[in-house]
Amino acid sequence: MISQKMADAINVQIKEEFYSAYLYLAMAYKSEELGLKVFAEWFQHQEAEERMHATKMAQYLLDQGAEVTLLQLDQPKYDKSSISAMIDETVKHEKFITNCISDLVNLARDEKDNATFNFLQWYVEEQVEEVASVSELQDLVKLAGPDQLLILEERLRQLVAARNSAE
Ligand code: FEO
């Protein structure tokens, strides 16, 4: 049985995952406004992944007999001045989420909660992958510079297609 402290911490993380979805949805709409449709598609895909991260945690709480308390979401706040700024924000946000997951793992260890510790390992691996992929995109955006973003979109289209076919 999961402790109330552990369940509360997971409920906070569910909110962080839904906030991530909300943030990436905002960035998808902003990318559309900027005429960058492939970036918009990429952010939409990130949004769907974040919702999945949240609902997977919610299902875990239910499986453990704990309550899912959907906490209030803040309005997304990010630097929307350019696509480069938004990708920088994405890298920063994914590093923040990695730290949140790490804190949860440490709590599960302190609570001697082996089931939750094991459950969280999926997120530990997922965060390594997410930080690596957004950092790669950040490098590409910086290499391309503002004048080459449409060319970069073509490369991003290939990356999105490769990812979709691998899923
Ligand atoms: Fe659910 Fe991108 O962290």
Side-chain angles (χ1 to χ4, degrees):
M1 182 66 189
I2 193 167
S3 70
Q4 191 59 48
K5 190 174 179 185
M6 193 77 243
D8 289 347
I10 293 177
N11 270 308
V12 170
Q13 189 59 30
I14 289 171
K15 183 198 72 164
E16 296 296 355
E17 299 294 342
F18 275 127
Y19 176 79
S20 305
Y22 212 27
L23 176 66
Y24 296 151
L25 189 59
M27 290 183 178
Y29 291 141
K30 182 53 71 179
S31 300
E32 283 270 356
E33 268 180 60
L34 296 172
L36 295 167
K37 290 197 174 303
V38 186
F39 276 96
E41 195 182 320
W42 186 83
F43 277 119
Q44 292 272 7
H45 188 281
Q46 297 304 109
E47 188 267 345
E49 286 221 330
E50 299 304 344
R51 265 187 293 118
M52 181 271 282
H53 294 171
T55 54
K56 188 179 170 84
M57 279 186 184
Q59 187 58 51
Y60 177 73
L61 286 183
L62 292 175
D63 290 347
Q64 289 282 344
E67 187 184 0
V68 177
T69 54
L70 293 179
L71 302 169
Q72 187 169 351
L73 292 181
D74 291 332
Q75 185 177 13
K77 283 198 182 63
Y78 62 99
D79 181 349
K80 53 183 83 165
S81 58
S82 66
I83 196 73
S84 176
M86 288 195 283
I87 298 294
D88 287 349
E89 293 269 8
T90 302
V91 172
K92 193 169 81 180
H93 185 70
E94 286 303 328
K95 287 180 177 172
F96 164 72
I97 295 292
T98 298
N99 286 337
C100 294
I101 298 293
S102 180
D103 288 346
L104 278 180
V105 170
N106 290 337
L107 180 61
R109 195 183 282 120
D110 290 348
E111 297 275 301
K112 299 184 174 38
D113 182 343
N114 289 326
T116 302
F117 181 87
N118 282 343
F119 169 72
L120 290 170
Q121 297 313 302
W122 183 88
Y123 289 87
V124 171
E125 284 180 26
E126 182 76 358
Q127 282 311 120
V128 171
E129 198 184 298
E130 292 223 328
V131 171
S133 75
V134 295
S135 299
E136 184 187 349
L137 184 56
Q138 184 183 41
D139 290 344
L140 287 173
V141 169
K142 287 204 185 326
L143 271 175
D147 299 336
Q148 311 268 352
L149 283 175
L150 291 177
I151 296 171
L152 176 55
E153 278 221 310
E154 201 39 58
R155 171 73 184 127
L156 188 56
R157 194 189 303 279
Q158 292 164 6
L159 289 174
V160 169
R163 183 172 63 181
N164 288 346
S165 69
E167 286 174 357

